[in-house]
Amino acid sequence: MITQPAQSQTSTALRFASALSRKTDTEAAVRDLADAVRAQIGQGTFDLAFVFFSAHHSEKSHLISTMMREELSVEVCLGCSGEGIIAGAEELETSAALTLWVACLPQVRVTPLRLAFSQSQDQIQMAGWPESSAEASTFILLADPFTTPVHDVLSVMADRYPNGKAVGGLAGGGHGAGENRLIKNGEVFNGGLVGVQLTGPIAVRTVISQGCCPIGERYVVTKAEQNMVYELGGQSALRRLQDVFESLEGSQRRDAHRALHFGIAIDEHRSRFERGDFLVRNLVGADQKAGAIAIGDLVQEGQTVQFQLRDAKSASDDLHVLLAADRAKHRQPPLGALLFSCCGRGEGLFGCTHHDSTVVRERMGQIPVAGFFAQGEIGPVGGKNFLHGYTASVAIFSRPDDDQESR
């Protein structure tokens, strides 16, 4: 069975298309997808393609890679296995699925990337990557969670490409090192990272929905070391946490037992804090004797923080609000999108299927959308790139707002 989302309807030169196959026969699925996108977008060369596939197709990933080059003329083709597959307004979390997303990007520089990491290396080697540059660009990254130090990669990229934003996800479907698959053009890898850098006349807007609502008061960290927070506003951090928990009622208190998090303000100079102003991190433990709490990241004294609660309603509201805000902010309409949603979301969180993909379609329109359920999501918050969890990371493609041809 093949599903064909409508081609992006636009008079601009940027063109996108996507398709989904539920066939378990990998060869037949890829052939159907190639036919489907050609029917939507026409013959000729595609500048960029992404192919995402469930674990059912992982053993045939070399066939996927080969057929992509044989069936379609693609300059850069990237892909990976995922915990589940997202295509259009559908999310297939457990069944066999393969989706293809293609783009024609005239005048846009499309640079494929590959990074392999060895524990014996003293530093990350980025052979073949573009030279350091302050030019604005977008990186779309797909990485294996078992073999790639994503935090370190993003740190190196921040120094090397200070105006580069990164979005993407960590491959899934496997249960250990060597079981996930990554595709870069005609090659298949079972570890490391693949990606692409986009520069030129295209806008790639990012919406990073961490799915939390702030609870309690904001505090300044007054004593901390590494990831241990000892004092908030001059009092025991554990006491502050207990106060927040006791202030909750009903369902919120039940949710807090499993979904209470810690938000770190990105920009301390803001006079007010809103959605997207906090980097949400897990609470990973507590030290009763010291009155401290442990956070899944480094915390510094002087930072503004606030406890956060994640539940289905908060996650849904957050994605709706952020996508609506993006649409209202930009003059140019969305033409296509990639969606990297945490495998901890989906039906398990929302109690219904197709939540994130449906919200993207509702807010962005009937544009070509593809993605996968990831083991971690990459995206910028407050102008800095981070690795997230329980997040929906969306890359929205459009013409630049200052584009003269569309006026």
Side-chain angles (χ1 to χ4, degrees), residues 141 143 150 154 166-170 208 376-380 385-388 393:
L141 307 177
V150 178
L154 295 177
V167 62
L170 306 192
I208 311 303
E377 305 73 53
I378 299 168
N385 299 315
F386 296 99
L387 176 64
H388 307 276
S393 183

Side-chain angles (χ1 to χ4, degrees), residues 264-345:
I264 305 171
I266 298 299
D267 185 357
E268 294 292 335
H269 301 292
R270 285 183 177 272
S271 58
R272 51 182 289 185
F273 295 93
E274 301 174 344
R275 289 181 187 269
D277 292 335
F278 288 90
L279 177 65
V280 177
R281 287 298 186 243
N282 289 336
L283 287 169
V284 298
D287 185 333
Q288 294 280 351
K289 185 176 181 179
I293 56 177
I295 310 302
D297 207 336
L298 299 180
V299 183
Q300 298 178 352
E301 294 176 4
Q303 288 183 311
T304 299
V305 301
Q306 189 168 10
F307 291 104
Q308 310 275 325
L309 182 65
R310 176 178 286 117
D311 57 15
K313 184 180 185 304
S314 298
S316 183
D317 291 348
D318 192 61
L319 184 58
H320 271 286
V321 168
L322 292 174
L323 287 172
D326 173 87
R327 191 67 190 89
K329 181 180 179 181
H330 296 283
R331 185 175 65 86
Q332 294 289 350
L335 302 176
L338 294 172
L339 170 58
F340 308 97
S341 187
C342 179
C343 56
R345 293 171 69 95

Side-chain angles (χ1 to χ4, degrees), residues 3-295:
T3 304
Q4 299 182 29
Q7 177 188 345
S8 174
Q9 298 296 319
T10 174
S11 60
T12 67
L14 295 172
R15 291 179 294 156
F16 302 82
S18 64
L20 164 70
S21 176
R22 296 177 178 84
K23 287 185 176 179
T24 56
D25 183 309
T26 304
E27 183 175 355
V30 174
R31 188 166 288 115
D32 283 351
L33 292 178
D35 291 343
V37 297
R38 276 199 300 263
Q40 295 175 60
I41 208 170
Q43 300 292 332
T45 300
F46 303 114
D47 297 296
L48 180 62
F50 282 95
V51 57
F52 304 119
F53 47 94
S54 62
H56 307 79
H57 295 287
S58 290
E59 291 187 3
K60 298 290 185 65
S61 51
H62 282 89
L63 178 62
I64 296 173
S65 176
T66 299
M67 288 188 67
M68 282 293 148
R69 298 179 70 81
E70 293 177 350
E71 296 288 326
L72 295 170
S73 177
V74 180
E75 293 295 328
V76 176
C77 180
L78 302 168
C80 70
S81 56
E83 289 292 311
I85 300 305
I86 299 171
E90 296 185 81
E91 298 175 0
L92 293 88
E93 298 188 52
T94 58
S95 57
L98 196 154
T99 186
L100 173 64
W101 183 96
V102 298
C104 295
L105 309 173
Q107 302 180 34
V108 177
R109 187 162 72 250
V110 181
T111 306
L113 309 169
R114 164 67 181 158
L115 185 149
F117 181 81
S118 170
Q119 295 293 340
S120 62
Q121 292 178 332
D122 293 330
Q123 58 183 5
I124 295 173
Q125 303 293 331
M126 304 178 79
W129 284 52
E131 293 296 321
S132 299
S133 172
E135 181 180 15
S137 63
T138 299
F139 293 85
I140 304 173
L141 307 177
L142 310 174
D144 174 62
F146 300 106
T147 58
T148 309
V150 178
H151 291 287
D152 295 337
V153 173
L154 295 177
S155 178
V156 171
M157 289 179 62
D159 293 335
R160 188 162 178 158
Y161 313 107
N163 293 314
K165 58 185 174 185
V167 62
L170 306 192
H175 302 289
E179 295 187 14
N180 293 320
R181 296 292 181 268
L182 302 167
I183 290 176
K184 172 179 169 284
N185 293 331
E187 299 179 276
V188 175
F189 308 97
N190 62 8
L193 175 150
V194 299
V196 63
Q197 182 195 41
L198 302 177
T199 55
I202 188 171
V204 185
R205 292 144 33 189
T206 56
V207 169
I208 311 303
S209 176
Q210 299 178 88
C212 286
C213 66
I215 55 175
E217 299 180 11
R218 288 191 299 273
Y219 300 105
V220 173
V221 178
T222 49
K223 185 178 181 182
E225 184 177 352
Q226 298 296 319
N227 73 321
M228 297 296 297
V229 181
Y230 293 93
E231 291 183 2
L232 295 174
Q235 293 191 20
S236 160
L238 188 57
R239 179 68 258 174
R240 296 289 197 190
L241 174 59
Q242 291 168 338
D243 290 342
V244 168
F245 181 81
E246 291 170 2
S247 70
L248 301 176
E249 297 180 357
S251 61
Q252 277 196 328
R253 179 172 291 194
R254 290 193 297 272
D255 290 332
H257 277 292
R258 59 178 178 80
L260 195 58
H261 300 270
F262 195 79
I264 305 171
I266 298 299
D267 185 357
E268 294 292 335
H269 301 292
R270 285 183 177 272
S271 58
R272 51 182 289 185
F273 295 93
E274 301 174 344
R275 289 181 187 269
D277 292 335
F278 288 90
L279 177 65
V280 177
R281 287 298 186 243
N282 289 336
L283 287 169
V284 298
D287 185 333
Q288 294 280 351
K289 185 176 181 179
I293 56 177
I295 310 302

